[in-house]
Amino acid sequence: MPDDYGYINARIKVMRTQLLDGRMLDATLEAQSYQEFLRVLSESVLAADLGDATAQGAGLAELDAALSRNFFHTADKVYRLASGTARDEIGVLLQRWDLVNLKTLARGLASGRGTEGILQSLIPGGTIARSALQAAASSGDVASAAQAITVSGHPLAGAFREGAAAMSASGRLLDLEVALDQGYYRRALAIARGTALRRYLAREIDITNALTARALRGQSVDPSLFVEGGNVIGASDFTRLGAGDTGVGGDLSPILEAPSLEEAEIVARRALDVAAHNAAMGDALGVGVAVDFLRRKEIEIAKLRLIGRGKFYGVPAEQLRREVSVE
């Protein structure tokens, strides 16, 4: 395949037409039962991946597996379109879900969650081999999990080991998560070729720092928790934000001023949606189109998971509609 974003983006634009439109999402919301919800999905492009989700007696575990399968197939197809530096850049985008999965893995092990529970909560769109994730999830503790990821040779293994050591020393899961953020963004920025991708990554970094500062508000902020590479929040701003000074957050103030961490995360997700859209608009011949498409696909799957759970437990359609609107 040529290292040519013109070709890649033309294919992605075709794939974008296969995302569920507002009419189809409305149909899932208006379904009168869980079985009707599944019937609506079986009439969409997701039908090929539903598998056991529509079988007699199937439940949410089968639905999650089906949606995960569809997400993996979509992300993998985008990755296989590219070669050369384009493949490296798109690979970095997919490693964003490796970052999420390693954090989920660490949280699950730290809280004593079982192997199957951890595996079911992982996103299948990343690049870590399933066998490595299984070995890590069944390892029993974070330090052993880090060794399992190291054996896989994954680029984030070093950051995971450093984070596991930091967590062991401090007893704080946050130290591990920030070490992973730092390792991921350092690598991503080194690989990013175009200004649009670097701008998008910088936005992610600023939002990450804003959320960390929001979580630490009122505490003594450790400067080592700062992730470098953003455009809005500098190291000194980060310390001030943690102390409660929201005046240095620029256009990220809504995250910092949100009344709860949950609401701050909702505002952060919306900001990332806008950043992904802007990346596509400003980089029609580069990786920006892939940034936006993968973000849209992630949102679609998250909404379907939420709607599916609502239908399974009989949540009223209007309540579901309100919840989906903020996802």
Side-chain angles (χ1 to χ4, degrees):
M1 292 292 179
D3 182 6
D4 177 7
Y5 274 116
Y7 164 80
I8 296 166
N9 291 346
R11 295 288 300 275
I12 290 176
K13 287 175 182 177
V14 172
M15 294 171 66
R16 182 170 166 174
T17 66
Q18 298 172 344
L19 294 175
L20 300 191
D21 58 18
R23 178 189 60 80
M24 182 60 75
L25 283 174
D26 278 343
T28 63
L29 281 165
E30 294 302 325
Q32 297 301 303
S33 67
Y34 181 67
Q35 290 304 317
E36 185 179 344
F37 164 79
L38 292 176
R39 181 191 60 76
V40 172
L41 281 191
S42 68
E43 296 174 355
S44 74
V45 294
L46 279 80
D49 290 311
L50 287 180
D52 293 340
T54 58
Q56 185 71 27
L60 293 177
E62 288 78 13
L63 174 65
D64 281 345
L67 295 175
S68 294
R69 193 159 48 241
N70 179 261
F71 185 77
F72 172 78
H73 289 160
T74 303
D76 186 58
K77 185 175 181 180
V78 172
Y79 185 61
R80 287 186 287 106
L81 288 172
S83 65
T85 53
R87 190 177 182 89
D88 291 339
E89 288 190 323
I90 291 175
V92 157
L93 294 178
L94 301 188
Q95 284 173 18
R96 178 67 175 76
W97 291 296
D98 293 330
L99 173 66
V100 173
N101 282 341
L102 291 176
K103 289 181 181 181
T104 301
L105 179 67
R107 290 169 189 156
L109 289 168
S111 64
R113 193 174 187 186
T115 301
E116 284 306 310
I118 293 173
L119 291 174
Q120 288 173 7
S121 63
L122 300 178
I123 300 171
T127 65
I128 301 175
R130 183 71 177 179
S131 58
L133 290 172
Q134 289 173 330
S138 61
S139 62
D141 60 71
V142 174
S144 299
Q147 290 305 313
I149 299 301
T150 297
V151 171
S152 75
H154 192 270
L156 291 181
F160 196 23
R161 285 197 311 275
E162 292 173 10
M167 176 182 168
S168 177
S170 69
R172 294 191 310 181
L173 182 61
L174 179 62
D175 289 335
L176 184 150
E177 295 185 348
V178 171
L180 283 169
D181 286 332
Q182 291 168 336
Y184 169 73
Y185 287 113
R186 189 163 54 242
R187 172 177 169 77
L189 287 169
I191 287 175
R193 177 181 59 182
T195 56
L197 179 55
R198 295 184 68 83
R199 190 180 303 117
Y200 177 76
L201 291 170
R203 188 63 169 173
E204 276 196 349
I205 292 168
D206 279 326
I207 290 171
T208 296
N209 283 326
L211 287 171
T212 302
R214 173 66 181 75
L216 294 173
R217 182 175 296 164
Q219 304 178 37
S220 177
V221 177
D222 184 347
S224 69
L225 298 177
F226 176 70
V227 180
E228 296 184 354
N231 289 331
V232 176
I233 299 175
S236 60
D237 299 326
F238 179 72
T239 303
R240 291 169 61 189
L241 288 170
D245 182 359
T246 60
V248 295
D251 65 349
L252 296 177
S253 293
I255 295 175
L256 300 161
E257 296 169 359
S260 68
L261 283 175
E262 180 181 20
E263 290 178 75
E265 289 173 354
I266 290 170
V267 176
R269 287 197 295 271
R270 288 174 175 166
L272 285 174
D273 294 345
V274 172
H277 174 74
N278 290 342
M281 293 297 98
D283 193 27
L285 297 178
V287 72
V289 174
V291 169
D292 184 52
F293 172 74
L294 290 169
R295 179 78 184 167
R296 287 173 183 267
K297 185 65 183 180
E298 180 183 12
I299 293 168
E300 174 188 273
I301 296 299
K303 285 183 175 181
L304 290 175
R305 278 202 170 97
L306 180 58
I307 295 169
R309 275 165 172 68
K311 296 303 174 184
F312 191 84
Y313 291 112
V315 177
E318 282 310 307
Q319 180 181 336
L320 263 181
R321 191 178 296 278
R322 288 193 299 272
E323 293 179 9
V324 168
S325 70
V326 299
E327 290 297 317

